[in-house]
Amino acid sequence: MNDTAVFIPSYQNRYDEIFNYVNNIDKYNLYIILSKDDSNLKNYYDKFSFNSNIHLVETDCKTIGEKRQFIMDYAYENGYKYVIQLDDDIRKYGYRITEETKRKTSDSYRREKISLVDLLDILVDYIKRNECSYVSPMFPFSLGFSKPGKRNINKNLNFGQCNIINSDDFHNLGLKYDTRKNVHEDIDIVIQLLQNGKTCITLGDYGFEVVPNSSNLSSSVVAGTSALDLCRIRLYLKYRDGISLRIGKRGELRLTCRLDNYWNTKEIPIKEDKYHKEIYELCQEGDIEKIKEYIRNNK
């Protein structure tokens, strides 16, 4: 499909599964986006044998936000309307639920595996047949409690790891990824789409899978809890009180985002009560432990 391409930003060759699988993705041109200063750059050339539709592209990008912006610019300049982005920890299969997988003993569904190729075809078909700018599958742990045919429209979205974006919409709006280090660039770009009245959808009956423990902070390029906390703080400072900060089980900052606050408006929701004013001031100061202490003391 000449109007669609797959892009995989990667760094340090942390995982192999997707790169051992990509030769199966032969319907689309596929680009692996690398960093010239990556100390493991040679691995991508020496460890894998890629088909002719797969291209290694070396860039000067330093952050994942820079790579995602590079991807969108590169796709647009080369005539790709639909841009599939996969993280490098995506596995070679996804999941679906159907009426046939309904459990008899509970109001839930058994997940059944489908190939990653089939999952990508579903995303491409859906975005082409519907007026939307962004489509993603569900987080796997939520899939069993969803419903066949369910569509999460502009809320309860999966923001990253596996998605497809309309490149024309992205560039016609002049959107830009946040390219700073330690930001939630994937959440940020979806909020920008919503602010501009562009429909974003998560398919409630399809899910993706990632390599076991890839979300463990020790294996992430966002190294450590403090870096993840900083991502939450920066998103809150930009989008304010449509976002709630809380403390996770590991002591890390977590967030809840009410996306309907951002639909088709550039007005940022601001709450004037004492709690939200003080949270905002603490986030501006950037003292992570003070922020957490304030949240704990003001539940």
Side-chain angles (χ1 to χ4, degrees):
M1 293 187 181
N2 293 332
D3 61 353
T4 305
V6 179
F7 292 84
I8 305 175
S10 188
Y11 186 69
Q12 290 286 302
N13 188 207
R14 298 173 300 154
Y15 312 107
D16 286 353
E17 183 167 336
I18 186 63
F19 301 120
N20 286 320
Y21 177 80
V22 289
N23 285 336
N24 294 283
I25 306 174
D26 55 7
K27 190 182 294 185
Y28 315 102
N29 281 329
L30 187 148
Y31 300 87
I32 300 170
I33 309 302
L34 306 172
S35 299
K36 291 178 181 177
D37 65 354
D38 188 340
S39 60
N40 289 331
L41 184 62
K42 196 169 181 289
N43 285 7
Y44 295 94
Y45 296 91
D46 293 346
K47 288 174 63 177
F48 310 104
S49 178
F50 296 123
N51 290 345
S52 60
N53 68 308
I54 298 172
H55 313 277
L56 301 180
V57 181
E58 297 181 22
T59 76
D60 293 318
C61 297
K62 303 297 184 184
T63 69
I64 183 60
E66 288 180 353
K67 279 189 177 176
R68 295 204 190 281
Q69 186 62 47
F70 175 90
I71 286 168
M72 297 307 296
D73 292 339
Y74 187 95
Y76 190 71
E77 290 164 5
N78 285 276
Y80 294 116
K81 182 175 181 178
Y82 302 105
V83 178
I84 298 170
Q85 292 198 47
L86 302 177
D87 282 5
D88 61 2
D89 60 350
I90 286 288
R91 304 204 70 175
K92 61 186 180 182
Y93 59 87
Y95 300 104
R96 70 177 179 181
I97 57 172
T98 66
E99 293 296 345
E100 288 71 31
T101 65
K102 175 74 169 63
R103 289 189 174 94
K104 295 181 180 180
T105 56
S106 67
D107 190 25
S108 64
Y109 292 80
R110 175 180 51 82
R111 305 177 307 183
E112 61 180 22
K113 284 185 179 181
I114 61 172
S115 70
L116 180 60
V117 168
D118 288 343
L119 179 60
L120 300 187
D121 286 347
I122 291 292
L123 296 180
V124 173
D125 180 67
Y126 192 88
I127 201 170
K128 288 186 174 184
R129 289 190 298 103
N130 296 273
E131 292 187 9
C132 49
S133 299
Y134 174 94
V135 182
S136 62
M138 290 275 284
F139 288 112
F141 60 81
S142 303
L143 187 61
F145 299 97
S146 186
K147 300 287 183 183
K150 183 177 181 181
R151 303 291 177 256
N152 296 342
I153 302 175
N154 299 332
K155 61 181 180 180
N156 300 324
L157 298 172
N158 163 40
F159 298 102
Q161 296 180 288
C162 176
N163 56 65
I164 185 168
I165 300 176
N166 185 312
S167 174
D168 289 350
D169 290 348
F170 183 96
H171 282 87
N172 289 341
L173 291 168
L175 300 188
K176 298 291 183 183
Y177 274 96
D178 191 329
T179 59
R180 294 174 295 170
K181 185 180 179 181
N182 296 334
V183 296
H184 284 306
E185 85 294 332
D186 46 3
I187 300 177
D188 177 81
I189 206 65
V190 173
I191 294 177
Q192 289 187 54
L193 285 166
L194 294 172
Q195 286 180 311
N196 283 279
K198 294 298 181 181
T199 300
C200 300
I201 294 175
T202 290
L203 305 182
D205 46 5
Y206 289 90
F208 64 94
E209 183 64 276
V210 296
V211 174
N213 299 319
S214 67
S215 60
N216 186 310
L217 295 178
S218 63
S219 66
S220 173
V221 291
V222 179
T225 302
S226 61
L228 190 61
D229 290 341
L230 184 57
C231 291
R232 315 299 204 211
I233 291 168
R234 285 180 168 171
L235 196 71
Y236 175 77
L237 286 172
K238 183 171 182 179
Y239 292 108
R240 294 292 298 273
D241 299 322
I243 292 172
S244 295
L245 295 174
R246 57 188 178 85
I247 310 297
K249 292 181 179 179
R250 294 179 293 182
E252 79 282 11
L253 283 175
R254 299 190 66 83
L255 59 84
T256 302
C257 188
R258 294 175 293 281
L259 295 174
D260 53 343
N261 284 287
Y262 304 100
W263 170 249
N264 206 22
T265 179
K266 300 295 179 65
E267 185 176 342
I268 299 298
I270 298 175
K271 296 181 180 179
E272 299 291 351
D273 59 274
K274 180 176 181 291
Y275 176 83
H276 288 91
K277 284 183 178 179
E278 294 194 3
I279 280 288
Y280 180 66
E281 290 173 1
L282 288 169
C283 286
Q284 285 183 307
E285 294 172 7
D287 189 322
I288 294 172
E289 291 309 313
K290 278 188 178 180
I291 294 168
K292 291 179 179 179
E293 182 181 4
Y294 186 80
I295 293 172
R296 291 189 187 99
N297 293 336
N298 291 274
K299 287 183 179 180

